[in-house]
Amino acid sequence: MAQPPASFTPYIPANTRLREFTARAVVVGSLLGIIFGASSLYLALKVGLTVSASIPVAVISVTLFRLWAKLGGKDATILEHNIAQTAGSAGESLAFGAAVTMPAILILGFDLEVGRVLLVAVLGGLLGILLMIPLRRPLIVQQHGELKYPEGTACAEVLKAGANDESRAAADPAYARETAVAGIQAKTIFGGFAL
C-alpha cells in the first residue's frame, strides 16, 4: 500500500497578501523570455540542442530587481520573482518547441511563414497550459517528495535566497532557520553567477 504524500508547507502561506502578479514582474519575465528564447532558438537550430533558462532567469530576475531597489525603486517580493522566472522560463520553452517543429514543417513540404510558425508556437503553448491544469495536482501536489524536480528545486532555492525582507517576514515559520542564512546564500549565488 502506498504511503500518503509528505505534507508540504509552502514558503509563503496561501493566506498571505504579497504583491505577485504585477506589470513589472510580467515585463521583466517577458523580456528575459525573449532574450533566452532567441538564444535557445538559435542554439537549437544551429546545433540541435539547447539548455534550460530557468535558473539563469531566476538569478537575473533577482539581480535586476535588486538593482532597481538600489536605484530607489521598490524591491520585488519572492512572488514577483516567481512570476518573472516563470514567464522567462515559459518563453524559452516556447522557443524550443518552435525550434523542433520548424524542421518538421519543412519536411512536410510547407513554407516557414511567420504566421504558420506563430500559430504552431501559440497552439503548443496553449496545449501545454491546458495539459498542465489537470496534471498539476497529481504531478506536483500529490507527488511532492516522491518525484524529484532538481531544476525546480534549484530555482526555488535561488528565489528564497534572493527574497527581500518583506518576503522573509511573510514566510512560514517552518522556514525561519532558512531565512536567517538567506543573505549568505544570496551572496554565494550571485558570486557564483558572476564568476
Side-chain angles (χ1 to χ4, degrees):
M1 190 171 206
Q3 288 183 318
S7 64
F8 173 70
T9 305
Y11 184 76
I12 302 293
N15 59 355
T16 305
R17 305 283 294 168
L18 279 178
R19 292 179 318 280
E20 182 174 9
F21 191 70
T22 60
R24 67 185 184 158
V26 173
V27 167
V28 167
S30 298
L31 290 175
L32 290 174
I34 289 168
I35 292 167
F36 279 93
S39 64
S40 178
L41 182 63
Y42 176 78
L43 186 62
L45 291 174
K46 191 75 169 170
V47 296
L49 62 94
T50 185
V51 295
S52 181
S54 294
I55 298 168
V57 167
V59 173
I60 292 171
S61 162
V62 170
T63 304
L64 289 176
F65 282 120
R66 283 285 163 87
L67 288 173
W68 175 254
K70 286 187 179 190
L71 294 173
K74 195 168 192 174
D75 198 4
T77 67
I78 191 169
L79 300 179
E80 286 178 296
H81 289 301
N82 189 45
I83 291 291
Q85 183 274 324
T86 303
S89 179
E92 185 268 337
S93 298
L94 281 173
F96 176 75
V100 297
T101 54
M102 278 193 247
I105 291 171
L106 286 173
I107 290 170
L108 291 172
F110 296 105
D111 290 332
L112 280 181
E113 300 167 358
V114 174
R116 184 171 284 127
V117 174
L118 185 63
L119 180 67
V120 168
V122 169
L123 291 178
L126 287 174
L127 181 64
I129 291 168
L130 292 175
L131 285 175
M132 199 56 222
I133 292 169
L135 291 176
R136 180 187 168 274
R137 186 166 302 281
L139 289 179
I140 307 295
V141 177
Q142 293 172 353
Q143 291 296 313
H144 177 75
E146 297 291 321
L147 293 177
K148 303 298 179 206
Y149 296 103
E151 187 176 14
T153 303
C155 285
E157 292 304 316
V158 167
L159 296 179
K160 285 190 278 188
N164 65 357
D165 293 336
E166 181 183 8
S167 298
R168 288 190 194 126
D172 191 277
Y175 292 98
R177 186 185 159 298
E178 254 183 62
T179 58
V181 296
I184 296 168
Q185 292 173 348
K187 288 178 185 171
T188 304
I189 288 170
F190 291 128
F193 188 71
L195 181 65

